[in-house]
Amino acid sequence: MSMLEVKDLHVSYGAIKAVQGISFEMEQGETVALIGSNGAGKSTTLRTISGLEKAKSGSIVFQGQELTKLKPHQIVELGIAHVPEGRRVFARMSVDENLRMGANIIKDRAQIKQDLERVYDIFPRLRERMKQQAGTLSGGEQQMLALGRALMTNGSLLMMLDEPSMGLAPIIVEEVFKIIRQINESGTSILLIEQNAFLALTTASHAYVLETGKITMQGKSSDLLADKRVKDAYL
Ligand code: ATP
């Protein structure tokens, strides 16, 4: 059974049909990418999985459980973390407080401490800046903080990342993606939205191409990287 199975999903904003019958699945432990140009419906898809938008029809099944009827907080509790576009850290709170916010549903203090240690091991730069106000961090550091906060989510089974490269200098993008791969290797499955198709296809094992709310191509990343249509349109 797939870890996540999206079937014939439709999502609209009033008259705008943002997602028009998309289906895809991912296995546990995988990194899967959704690529496609602006407005293709990628963010809407993630927001619907998180319960932030309502599906008009279709189903989203995570580990055997239907998500479309659940509230966002219930979806987080299942171990699905969403890192939205533009990062959105709590600017006036410290790094440490931001990370603890990610754990607000984990009751056990020992668990929180252990998870914090894990995050600080992955991001030594955040450990150095533990007491610093998040709003004063660089863009790259804020992206790392957003990833760290997602890792504090209950078990962090599935992490959904919306354009983690957005607005970052190339060298920082490389650093962030190295960490994304590391998070995946440590067992968290990753659903990645990325405008930079090359970056997406060299990180994910499988990918889906979205165009105006529909999936137009899908397959192994290595095959898509070599596909002439993908090369012409996205690389
Ligand atoms: P981007 O990378 O620009 O976010 P995307 O592929 O993630 O692109 P979506 O943000 O999901 O695309 O947008 C899909 C469509 O839905 C677009 O036509 C967009 O204008 C529209 N849309 C998105 N959010 C809203 C909203 N809150 N209200 C109305 N229309 C929206």
Side-chain angles (χ1 to χ4, degrees), residues 13 16 18 37-44 85 163 195:
Y13 301 102
I16 299 166
S37 44
N38 268 330
K42 306 181 299 297
S43 299
T44 301
E85 194 174 317
E163 298 277 353
Q195 289 249 5

Side-chain angles (χ1 to χ4, degrees), residues 15 27 44 56 62 64 71 76 90-91 96 163 170-171 210 212-213:
E27 303 297 327
T44 301
K56 208 170 102 193
F62 177 72
K71 298 254 174 330
V76 174
F90 300 104
D96 202 63
E163 298 277 353
I171 188 163
L210 263 77
T212 54

